[in-house]
Structure formats: C-alpha cells, structure tokens
Amino acid sequence: PKMAKAASHPELVKAFNSVTWVAPNIVRLECLVDFAEANDDGFGNPPEFWELGIYDSAGHLVAYFTFPVDTKYPTTQLLYEIDIII
C-alpha cells in the first residue's frame, strides 16, 4: 500500500505516516490527518470522516475500511491505525 484517501473527503490523499510489521502476518498502517489539514468540508463546516481507501502506487484500490464518524476540527488531529492480516 502506498497511500490513503478518505472517500468522505476525496481531495485529501496522504502517504502513510508509518507502515510497521506488528506480527509475522500483521502489518499496521498509520495515517494522520494533522491540525492544519482538512478543516472545511467545502461548505464552511467541519468535515466528517467515516471511510478510508488504501491504494497502491498505480492508484488501484487495494483495501477499503469504514469506521464510526469522526468530525475534524482545526484543533484536532485524527490518527487512523489499520491492522491488515496477511
């Protein structure tokens, strides 16, 4: 996996902050939406995140995750840790 993209906020495409093997068959991907990122949904409201796509270097979707809604404010960071069992 090369990058993450929030389908609920499609203009935000990020490289992973870290990719770590936490067990022989489990890789953990971390994606951080920092304080200055994604603070407007395009209509002047705080954006909501509820899904995340994982893409390879060719831009192909290789994994898709959903989670309870997170609202992003300028005073918050959102950290997503995704464990993939191989």
Side-chain angles (χ1 to χ4, degrees), residues 70-84:
D70 285 326
T71 302
K72 173 69 175 70
Y73 299 98
T75 57
T76 59
Q77 293 177 310
L78 301 178
L79 176 63
Y80 296 103
E81 295 180 331
I82 301 153
D83 288 345
I84 298 177

Side-chain angles (χ1 to χ4, degrees), residues 43-62:
F43 300 98
N45 303 305
E48 296 180 334
F49 289 82
W50 62 85
E51 55 193 347
L52 183 72
I54 309 297
Y55 294 81
D56 64 14
S57 58
H60 299 113
L61 180 68
V62 296

Side-chain angles (χ1 to χ4, degrees):
K2 200 74 170 162
M3 67 186 92
K5 181 176 181 179
S8 50
H9 206 40
E11 69 279 2
L12 181 64
V13 177
K14 297 189 54 81
F16 291 106
N17 294 77
S18 69
V19 178
T20 309
W21 287 96
V22 294
N25 66 330
I26 300 174
V27 64
R28 176 169 293 150
L29 309 172
E30 290 187 358
C31 183
L32 176 71
V33 182
D34 214 346
F35 294 108
E37 297 176 305
N39 289 314
D40 187 324
D41 68 353
F43 300 98
N45 303 305
E48 296 180 334
F49 289 82
W50 62 85
E51 55 193 347
L52 183 72
I54 309 297
Y55 294 81
D56 64 14
S57 58
H60 299 113
L61 180 68
V62 296
Y64 175 78
F65 302 90
T66 61
F67 43 86
V69 172
D70 285 326
T71 302
K72 173 69 175 70
Y73 299 98
T75 57
T76 59
Q77 293 177 310
L78 301 178
L79 176 63
Y80 296 103
E81 295 180 331
I82 301 153
D83 288 345
I84 298 177
I85 300 172
I86 299 173

